[in-house]
């Protein structure tokens, strides 16, 4: 096996992270089913118990509705600041250079906000966010990240079919000769990312993705863990970057 082939293989840590993530979701679903089964096993409803049960169900539904309302309530900081560029639900206007935030992992959003606040993220457009994040408290950062993570992601759109097809090949299979691994190894086969470290890309604005890959390629964005994105992007051509951006926009 050549050095290039060894480097092309997906790192074990990425595979382990993916397996843990999948198993974690399956475990959570299984736990919910088991808990539900245990709570109802052997219970025979009676006329006397029915009103009480109904009251409990109504109370639970009311609590869940209240919690859902809280999650979807627009925080003051969002309506007064964030929505100007990112939209009230975290979906930006077509053609702008600002990213969609809807449905992004909360941990990743918090990380980026703190990177802006510390100026660790210093790409050419970062200064816009420096000023916006500077006055935010930890509670507000958590509130913003939680709110946007609970919004519905922007639906994918195919804007250039030829580039979408070319980008799909890179995203799913990588580029062996260029030492570029498959993007799906970290960002998932459907582009929804692998929490907590790997962000969702599905439906992201094409212009934003092009800019960020170019920033990584040039080294002007350097907040990627262990320089992984810089190592990958430096081997991509301008056309390949456009193709990848077109594909993730379509997801």
């Amino acid at each position: 096996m050549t050095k290039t082939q060894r480097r092309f293989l997906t790192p074990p840590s990425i595979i382990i992270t993916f397996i843990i993530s999948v198993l974690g979701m399956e475990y959570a679903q299984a736990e919910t089913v088991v808990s539900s089964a245990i709570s109802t096993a052997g219970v025979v409803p009676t006329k006397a118990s029915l009103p009480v049960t109904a009251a409990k169900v109504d109370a639970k539904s009311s609590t869940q509705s209240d919690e859902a309302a809280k999650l979807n309530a627009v925080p003051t900081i969002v309506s007064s600041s964030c929505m100007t560029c990112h939209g009230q639900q975290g979906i930006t206007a077509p053609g702008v250079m600002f990213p969609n935030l809807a449905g992004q992992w909360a941990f990743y959003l918090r990380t980026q906000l703190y990177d802006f606040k510390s100026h660790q993220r210093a790409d050419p457009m970062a200064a816009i966010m420096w000023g916006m994040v500077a006055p935010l408290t930890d509670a507000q950062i958590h509130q913003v990240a939680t709110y946007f993570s609970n919004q519905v992601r922007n639906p994918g759109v195919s804007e250039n079919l030829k580039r979408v097809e070319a980008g799909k090949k890179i995203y799913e299979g990588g580029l062996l000769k260029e030492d570029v691994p498959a993007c799906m190894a970290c960002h998932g086969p459907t582009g929804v990312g692998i929490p907590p470290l790997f962000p969702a890309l599905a439906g992201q604005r094409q212009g934003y993705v092009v800019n960020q890959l170019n920033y990584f390629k040039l080294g002007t964005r350097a907040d990627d863990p262990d320089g992984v994105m810089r190592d990958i992007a430096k081997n991509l051509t301008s056309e390949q970057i456009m193709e990848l951006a077109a594909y993730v926009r379509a997801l």
Side-chain angles (χ1 to χ4, degrees), residues 150-232:
N150 281 290
Q151 303 309 302
V152 178
R153 287 192 182 95
N154 193 38
V157 177
S158 296
E159 298 177 348
N160 184 314
L161 291 178
K162 184 177 179 180
R163 278 180 171 159
V164 168
E165 286 302 314
K168 180 179 181 180
K169 292 179 181 178
I170 301 173
Y171 187 92
E172 295 182 346
L175 298 165
L176 181 59
K177 292 182 180 179
E178 290 81 356
D179 202 16
V180 173
C183 307
M184 64 181 284
C186 292
H187 297 285
T190 59
V192 297
I194 302 176
L197 298 177
F198 305 116
L201 300 178
Q204 190 55 269
R205 295 294 180 194
Q206 187 171 338
Y208 178 76
V209 175
V210 168
N211 279 348
Q212 298 310 304
L213 287 175
N214 278 317
Y215 295 158
F216 282 127
K217 180 182 177 75
L218 297 172
T220 52
R221 179 174 173 181
D223 65 326
D224 51 326
D226 299 319
V228 63
M229 282 305 303
R230 282 169 283 172
D231 285 342
I232 293 171

Side-chain angles (χ1 to χ4, degrees), residues 5 10 22 27 34 64 80 109 111 122 124 151 158 186 201 204 215 219 229 231-232 237:
Q5 289 174 320
T10 302
V22 172
Y27 174 79
V34 171
Q64 290 175 336
S80 65
L109 289 175
T111 299
Q151 303 309 302
S158 296
C186 292
L201 300 178
Q204 190 55 269
Y215 295 158
M229 282 305 303
D231 285 342
I232 293 171
T237 66

Side-chain angles (χ1 to χ4, degrees), residues 34-95:
V34 171
S35 297
S36 177
I38 291 173
S39 64
T40 57
V43 177
V44 179
T46 65
K47 291 182 179 180
S49 67
L50 285 176
V52 176
T53 302
K56 288 181 178 180
V57 170
D58 288 342
K60 183 177 181 180
S61 298
S62 178
T63 300
Q64 290 175 336
S65 297
D66 291 342
E67 291 176 351
K70 288 179 181 178
L71 288 174
N72 291 317
V74 182
T76 301
I77 187 63
V78 171
S79 59
S80 65
S81 181
C82 308
M83 66 175 287
T84 303
C85 296
H86 299 285
Q88 183 168 298
Q89 274 74 48
I91 297 177
T92 61

Side-chain angles (χ1 to χ4, degrees), residues 114-129:
Y114 280 117
D115 282 355
F116 283 126
K117 192 165 188 174
S118 66
H119 296 188
Q120 182 176 344
R121 181 166 171 177
D123 54 75
M125 292 189 69
I128 298 173
M129 285 299 300

